[in-house]
Amino acid sequence: MRFPKVNWRRILYALVCLGVLCLAVNYFGCVPAKQYKTALQTTEHHPGSTPTNTVLETSSDYTLGFVEFDDQGWLWNPQQVTTLTNRLYAEQDTNGLLIVVFVHGWMHDASPEDENVVMFRKKILRPLATMETFLSEKQHRPTRRVVGVYVGWRGLCQNVPLLNLLTFWDRKSAAERVGHGAVVELLCELEKLRNQGNGQHRGQIANHQRMSTKLLIIGHSFGGDVVYSAVAPILTERMIENVNAAGEAQAPKTMGDLVVLINPAFEAARFETVYRLGTTSQYPPGQHCTLAIFTSKSDMATKIAFPIARTVYTTFVQSHRDSEERAANQTAIGHYNPYISFDLAIHNKDRAKDEDIAKSGERVLALTEQLKNASSKSNEDRTYRFTHCQLEPRTNHVRNDPVFLVSVDPNIIPDHGSIDRGVFTRFLAEFLSLLSETDR
């Protein structure tokens, strides 16, 4: 058998061109690595307020803090965490808290004008605060203070169109370094704050004089990679150690109260251990969601671009024992069919309006009762009907599996970055409120 002659000159020329292109990507339109929130103080924020460089913002609805990380996963300034946690400990003395951490993804950062910063305020924190007010009045209980924690990292390092697409491998690698770095410290500090507050006020919580503090963690795109890199070892340990001293199965524990990933950009192969533990471990009756992953069926970034980029990389530098492992290593988690256990379908396309919050609140209360009674053998109590969407289990869903891997209708999330559409943000507010209503 004769092999074709290799034209090494052409290969060398191609490599030189690729190197020049990479240098161009790093030079032209490069967004410098920098800290955006440099003032360790608090400002009041109102709609239309001028953006500031302060670490803390307060409004009538919520408190928002910023914590930033560099490309190696180091804190830009540890005092950001201290400033944030000092404020939260003070607020927790008088109120239960609903803490929501958001880690942005590719092509975003913590700059004041970033679209994700604006979205976090308007589309996540404000609706949650409105929902919390409604639920507290309906249930005749104290209202928890909603607190947002925006985790900034250098997801945007190149602002020239098309050239910025070539930062995929660099930013994916950076996301994993950030997730293995001080983000773990931040999440553990927030969980410690939650646990201490709930322990200190246990009597008041038991007597319904105050609500327990909840910690919800959200990651989008490569921010989902950041979050998963940080919490996967913790989730694995807690899923294994879900028995008491007598060997009896306990409800599964998560990091905080719930981890949510939206259109996450990491490979399914890294999910195998968590998936296997979720489907094979013994958990008591009831639905205890610890990790929920939502990916749009029409997310072309993770459906098409991601596997192409992964195939180019893994073909040359990684080996696989079989085709199944190769497919899992080249496919984004939300598009790997063997692991998908739920579908999120739309059933009401009406535009979500602020005045519909009462309808959403009633849905949350009804679903809370459904969760408490989710112990029958049928699938009916595992289908959750929200105001605009319905969460339906697939036939491969294992009862009491605490991990929800959800394929989302394009009418709910149309593409990779459009996670701020009204139907989805209303669903997210209802889903987060539902899970924060359940004591663990």
Side-chain angles (χ1 to χ4, degrees), residues 230-257:
V231 306
I234 298 171
L235 290 179
T236 299
E237 178 183 10
R238 293 177 181 181
M239 292 171 83
I240 292 172
E241 297 179 349
N242 74 304
V243 295
N244 59 21
E248 299 167 331
Q250 301 295 292
K253 295 180 181 178
T254 184
M255 165 59 82
D257 292 277

Side-chain angles (χ1 to χ4, degrees), residues 273-331:
T273 301
V274 171
Y275 168 79
R276 179 165 41 81
L277 289 173
T279 55
T280 60
S281 298
Q282 297 298 313
Y283 299 108
Q287 197 63 73
H288 309 279
C289 181
T290 59
L291 170 64
I293 301 176
F294 298 96
T295 299
S296 172
K297 290 180 170 69
S298 57
D299 176 5
M300 295 300 114
T302 56
K303 187 175 184 178
I304 304 298
F306 185 92
I308 291 174
R310 286 293 298 167
T311 299
V312 170
Y313 176 74
T314 59
T315 298
F316 295 103
V317 301
Q318 294 185 6
S319 62
H320 304 92
R321 69 184 188 187
D322 53 33
S323 59
E324 179 183 353
E325 188 177 76
R326 179 181 294 106
N329 200 25
Q330 295 174 349
T331 306

Side-chain angles (χ1 to χ4, degrees), residues 1-61:
M1 179 177 179
R2 297 183 62 184
F3 293 94
K5 186 176 180 180
V6 177
N7 190 328
W8 293 106
R9 181 174 295 179
R10 287 189 177 181
I11 293 176
L12 180 61
Y13 178 75
L15 290 174
V16 170
C17 289
L18 180 62
V20 171
L21 184 59
C22 289
L23 288 174
V25 169
N26 287 324
Y27 182 78
F28 295 104
C30 179
V31 177
K34 59 181 288 189
Q35 178 186 349
Y36 290 95
K37 303 297 181 179
T38 54
L40 299 174
Q41 59 192 56
T42 304
T43 56
E44 289 192 14
H45 181 84
H46 308 283
S49 294
T50 302
T52 69
N53 65 340
T54 59
V55 170
L56 283 171
E57 298 176 0
T58 60
S59 76
S60 58
D61 299 322

Side-chain angles (χ1 to χ4, degrees), residues 143-265:
T143 304
R144 287 175 295 200
R145 176 71 172 173
V146 171
V147 175
V149 180
Y150 187 93
V151 173
W153 61 286
R154 196 173 171 230
L156 176 67
C157 68
Q158 169 59 251
N159 57 18
V160 175
L162 297 182
L163 281 182
N164 56 15
L165 298 177
L166 297 177
T167 65
F168 173 91
W169 294 277
D170 178 60
R171 292 302 87 195
K172 185 179 188 301
S173 179
E176 289 166 15
R177 290 196 302 272
V178 172
H180 290 128
V183 164
V184 180
E185 175 189 354
L186 170 65
L187 297 180
C188 289
E189 284 285 352
L190 293 174
E191 187 177 60
K192 180 179 75 173
L193 180 148
R194 159 194 176 270
N195 293 343
Q196 287 185 356
N198 291 342
Q200 178 182 351
H201 301 286
R202 184 177 291 112
Q204 290 177 293
I205 294 170
N207 293 323
H208 308 291
Q209 296 173 317
R210 63 177 283 153
M211 289 293 286
S212 59
T213 291
K214 299 291 184 178
L215 173 60
L216 313 174
I217 303 164
I218 305 172
H220 169 239
S221 181
F222 281 152
D225 197 346
V226 172
V227 171
Y228 188 74
S229 296
V231 306
I234 298 171
L235 290 179
T236 299
E237 178 183 10
R238 293 177 181 181
M239 292 171 83
I240 292 172
E241 297 179 349
N242 74 304
V243 295
N244 59 21
E248 299 167 331
Q250 301 295 292
K253 295 180 181 178
T254 184
M255 165 59 82
D257 292 277
L258 179 65
V259 177
V260 174
L261 309 180
I262 306 169
N263 287 340

